[in-house]
Amino acid sequence: MAANETINNYTIQPHGGELINRVVEGAERETLIEAAKSFKKITLNPWAISDLELIGIGGFSPLTGFMGEADYTKVVEDTHLENGLVWSIPITLPVTEDEAAKLEVGDDVALYGEDGELYGTLKLEGMTKKKKRKMFMVQLTKHILVLKKFMTKVTFI
């Protein structure tokens, strides 16, 4: 048995069967960095940057981005993604009401850290406003560790 074949036989498969890689490199990366200067901007806290990185490197495979409303609702209510895969923690990008008011579906958005560095970009596909009280109750009963993420933000994009 060849060495590569042996490695493949013992490698743990990513959740959902495919390792997602959303990292942009080379000339495409440089072009995107330049284009991001004209995008609408959101400032991410360290937790959101961590989620973004895990999406980018495949740590949250099969997710290819932050969850939309359908996946979010299914995960909170049923611990599964819309496609049926088991998933227990919602991976969303919370923004303030002020940030949400400046955004529209279809916008290109630059994601900056509190340090002023560009961490990523996204094409806004949807927004969902959640009521804090309901969010606290849902998070408290189903995902205690995720509660901290939603304490100050009420709109998910």
Side-chain angles (χ1 to χ4, degrees), residues 47-93:
W47 192 319
I49 291 171
S50 175
D51 285 352
L52 178 66
E53 181 177 21
L54 285 165
I55 291 167
I57 65 169
F60 284 152
S61 291
L63 300 183
T64 59
F66 291 99
M67 289 180 179
E69 185 172 9
D71 273 329
Y72 169 83
T73 301
K74 187 80 169 161
V75 165
V76 169
E77 293 177 358
D78 196 34
T79 63
H80 287 77
L81 297 169
E82 273 289 298
N83 66 11
L85 282 172
V86 173
W87 197 276
S88 61
I89 299 174
I91 307 300
T92 58
L93 179 55

Side-chain angles (χ1 to χ4, degrees), residues 24-37 118:
V24 180
E25 298 176 318
E28 183 181 5
R29 178 181 181 273
E30 297 308 314
T31 301
L32 196 53
I33 288 170
E34 188 61 33
K37 293 175 184 176
L118 177 65

Side-chain angles (χ1 to χ4, degrees), residues 40-42 95 98-105 107-109 124 127 157:
K40 293 185 178 176
K41 296 170 178 48
I42 294 174
V95 297
D98 289 341
E99 288 171 319
K102 298 173 187 171
L103 300 172
E104 295 180 20
V105 172
D107 282 345
D108 289 312
V109 181
L124 184 58
M127 291 192 288
I157 61 170

